[in-house]
Amino acid sequence: MNDQLLLTPDQRDALQEVTNIAMGQAGAQLAQILEVFVQLSVPRINITESSSIATSILQLVGTPQSVTAVRQAFSGTLRGEAMVVYDQNGCRDLADLMGYEDDIDRDSERELLLDVGNVLVGACLNGIAELLGAKLSFSAPTIMAEDVEVGRLINPQQLTWNYALLVEVHFTLEVRDFTCHLMTLMPEESIVALKSALDAFMENL
């Protein structure tokens, strides 16, 4: 791997701090929507090879369960993909918390997952962009997989990059057995841009 892609310890600490702040904003928005207390994990940051992306995601999610995932591309100063990964209980719990009393139909469930994913991705990445002085635009969120094993979420052969920065935070609810994972993947050229932005952020502290 090119050394230019590796984060220095200071850059990693700065990224963790920036991500923590931005994820806190995303968690606050989710708490407001669901009217429950949302707990956040510490951000996990890895450089991953395209060939091992499935293993990396499986390790972050923790169990080889079936999941549903929403994806949203972002571009601008930084470019990449964001994914919000829900377990099957998470889909039902969301519907329950949002006031759906009966069994929710498939279309309504998809819309709910897209809306929540859009809120989390927007709040988190806009928070990071604001702190780093970056400009981002987003594609519309789409369902990338439904009831699929975690390890099959991404097909490595369809990827156009060799290495990417993978940042993960998961959200849990105090009152439910609900977990969703927010992951961002940034390929090589975005890692270089991010490193410059982190250096400028640290200089301005």
Side-chain angles (χ1 to χ4, degrees), residues 16 20 54 60 98 107 114 131 133 142 145 149 170 174 187 192:
Q16 195 132 21
N20 252 332
L60 291 171
M98 295 288 278
D107 286 344
L114 288 168
L131 287 163
T142 57
E149 280 185 25
H170 54 273
E174 202 171 41
V192 175

Side-chain angles (χ1 to χ4, degrees), residues 1-8 11-12 15 45-50 53 74 76-81 128 132 136 161-167 184-200 202:
M1 189 196 309
N2 187 330
D3 285 350
Q4 278 187 307
L5 300 180
L6 295 173
L7 299 180
T8 66
Q11 287 169 340
R12 182 176 282 270
L15 179 57
I45 299 165
N46 298 302
I47 303 273
T48 184
E49 228 175 322
S50 59
I53 184 65
F74 57 93
T77 313
L78 304 171
R79 181 178 73 81
E81 299 263 342
I128 290 173
L132 295 181
L136 295 181
W161 44 265
N162 296 317
Y163 293 94
L165 179 71
L166 176 59
V167 180
T184 57
L185 275 168
M186 286 183 256
E188 294 99 334
E189 71 273 17
S190 272
I191 299 174
V192 175
L194 177 66
K195 282 163 62 79
S196 298
L198 289 168
D199 287 341
M202 289 187 286

Side-chain angles (χ1 to χ4, degrees), residues 5-152:
L5 300 180
L6 295 173
L7 299 180
T8 66
D10 284 348
Q11 287 169 340
R12 182 176 282 270
D13 288 347
L15 179 57
Q16 195 132 21
E17 183 185 336
V18 164
T19 305
N20 252 332
I21 294 167
M23 292 293 190
Q25 294 167 353
Q29 290 210 18
L30 183 60
Q32 204 171 0
I33 293 169
L34 301 179
E35 298 181 349
V36 292
F37 182 69
V38 175
Q39 295 166 312
L40 302 173
S41 68
V42 173
R44 292 184 283 182
I45 299 165
N46 298 302
I47 303 273
T48 184
E49 228 175 322
S50 59
S51 59
S52 60
I53 184 65
T55 308
S56 298
I57 290 174
L58 182 56
Q59 285 171 345
L60 291 171
V61 173
T63 51
Q65 57 185 313
S66 289
V67 296
T68 293
V70 170
R71 71 171 281 277
Q72 206 164 354
F74 57 93
S75 56
T77 313
L78 304 171
R79 181 178 73 81
E81 299 263 342
M83 293 186 299
V84 181
V85 180
Y86 305 90
D87 65 21
Q88 294 317 104
N89 289 337
C91 301
R92 286 189 288 273
D93 279 340
L94 268 185
D96 200 16
L97 286 163
M98 295 288 278
Y100 290 90
E101 290 177 8
D102 302 318
D103 277 350
I104 184 171
D105 65 45
R106 201 67 165 179
D107 286 344
S108 300
E109 184 182 282
R110 285 188 185 117
E111 198 174 323
L112 181 57
L113 298 178
L114 288 168
D115 286 348
V116 171
N118 194 32
V119 166
L120 290 177
V121 170
C124 174
L125 287 175
N126 281 324
I128 290 173
E130 195 176 324
L131 287 163
L132 295 181
K135 286 189 165 50
L136 295 181
S137 56
F138 301 89
S139 69
T142 57
I143 302 281
M144 68 179 284
E146 289 182 284
D147 297 343
V148 166
E149 280 185 25
V150 177
R152 294 173 54 211

